[in-house]
């Protein structure tokens, strides 16, 4: 395991130093930015909010620079972006987005398991699998609720929630609530670590993540 993580760290550092910092003559600000994005994978953010956080940690930058660095990280396929989609208004939103790391193993190798949020790691894995299967993948917004993913492929559209453990009734209800609030007829799915066969609640399919 140590050798595996060491190899992944070397790949990560090569991408940052050779493919980005040296090629584009970027300062070391890129490193804390990449680590911050790994630590906050699956969280809504914007260049402005990231710049404010990094600046508060004594790394001087601004939202224009952060936006440019994020573009470099996406171009190097270290991160993927999921933009927001207004489900009721049926329109794409330009404010805020989520970023997912290209491989959760890279997050473990670079940051370790401190502050580990398994729900967000599972969400990251589902996002990668969805884009691997050719889906356009967005973050859904419905009034004040958030749907983890709105995915589209041709005429197909699916709403997806991702969770860690839904054994507790209150957790299950919380995860189902955004899907229940959607009034159209497109399929709705909850993916979680249920550890048993698929089942359906109120027309919503509940699937085991590992299966």
């Amino acid at each position: 395991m140590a050798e595996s993580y060491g190899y992944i760290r070397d790949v990560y550092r090569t991408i940052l130093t050779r493919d980005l910092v040296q090629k584009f003559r970027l300062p070391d600000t890129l490193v804390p930015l990449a680590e911050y994005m790994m630590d906050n994978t699956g969280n809504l953010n914007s260049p402005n909010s990231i710049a404010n956080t990094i600046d508060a940690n004594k790394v001087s930058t601004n939202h224009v620079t952060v936006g440019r660095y994020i573009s470099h990280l996406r171009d190097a396929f270290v991160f993927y972006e999921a933009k927001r989609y207004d489900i009721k208004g049926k329109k794409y939103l330009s404010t805020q987005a989520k970023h997912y790391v290209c491989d959760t193993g890279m997050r473990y190798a670079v940051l370790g398991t401190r502050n580990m949020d398994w729900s967000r790691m599972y969400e990251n894995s589902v996002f990668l699998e969805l884009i691997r299967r050719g889906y356009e993948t967005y973050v859904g917004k419905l009034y004040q609720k958030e749907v983890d993913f709105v995915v589209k492929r041709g005429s197909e559209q699916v709403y997806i929630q991702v969770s860690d453990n839904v054994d507790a009734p209150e957790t299950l209800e919380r995860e189902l609530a955004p899907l229940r609030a959607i009034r159209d007829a497109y399929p709705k799915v909850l993916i979680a670590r249920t550890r048993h066969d698929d089942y359906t609640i109120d027309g919503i399919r509940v699937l085991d993540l590992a299966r």
Side-chain angles (χ1 to χ4, degrees):
M1 186 67 72
E3 289 180 0
S4 298
Y5 280 170
Y7 174 78
I8 295 171
R9 275 192 295 271
D10 288 344
V11 171
Y12 167 76
R13 288 166 183 160
T14 298
I15 294 171
L16 255 64
T17 57
R18 187 190 66 192
D19 297 348
L20 296 177
V21 172
Q22 293 175 6
K23 181 178 180 180
F24 297 103
R25 296 176 182 172
L26 304 176
D28 290 339
T29 309
L30 185 70
V31 175
L33 168 63
E35 292 185 359
Y36 173 84
M37 290 176 65
M38 281 189 184
D39 206 20
N40 288 272
T41 184
N43 284 343
L44 280 173
N45 54 49
S46 66
N48 191 55
S49 64
I50 293 174
N52 289 339
T53 302
I54 293 177
D55 195 56
N57 290 328
K58 313 301 183 190
V59 181
S60 182
T61 188
N62 59 67
H63 70 281
V64 175
T65 301
V66 167
R68 187 170 72 252
Y69 289 178
I70 290 174
S71 293
H72 287 316
L73 289 166
R74 288 202 308 264
D75 290 343
F77 301 105
V78 180
F79 292 95
Y80 293 94
E81 182 182 64
K83 295 183 177 179
R84 299 174 78 205
Y85 177 77
D86 186 338
I87 296 171
K88 184 176 186 300
K90 293 182 171 54
K91 61 182 179 181
Y92 303 101
L93 303 173
S94 59
T95 57
Q96 297 187 308
K98 288 188 176 185
H99 290 90
Y100 296 96
V101 66
C102 63
D103 191 306
T104 53
M106 188 174 286
R107 195 268 186 213
Y108 303 148
V110 175
L111 298 183
T113 56
R114 64 179 174 84
N115 301 325
M116 183 61 69
D117 185 330
W118 290 108
S119 289
R120 287 194 287 118
M121 289 297 97
Y122 292 155
E123 187 180 319
N124 200 129
S125 298
V126 170
F127 173 84
L128 294 175
E129 180 64 17
L130 288 167
I131 62 172
R132 188 188 71 81
R133 295 188 185 197
Y135 286 100
E136 298 173 39
T137 305
Y138 305 93
V139 178
K141 175 185 177 295
L142 183 65
Y143 304 109
Q144 299 305 311
K145 290 183 172 65
E146 179 186 298
V147 177
D148 288 332
F149 300 121
V150 180
V151 301
K152 303 183 179 209
R153 187 173 60 184
S155 61
E156 184 183 3
Q157 180 167 313
V158 184
Y159 302 110
I160 298 175
Q161 282 287 93
V162 182
S163 184
D164 178 3
N165 188 321
V166 291
D167 289 344
E170 60 272 18
T171 305
L172 178 61
E173 288 303 310
R174 185 185 69 237
E175 297 295 343
L176 292 173
L179 298 174
R180 284 175 169 151
I182 302 171
R183 298 305 178 190
D184 62 41
Y186 288 114
K188 303 169 183 67
V189 178
L190 170 60
I191 301 176
R193 288 297 287 116
T194 65
R195 296 178 175 80
H196 51 67
D197 292 340
D198 306 345
Y199 62 97
T200 302
I201 300 178
D202 299 335
I204 300 169
R205 292 182 66 200
V206 182
L207 309 180
D208 179 59
L209 177 71
R211 291 168 189 256

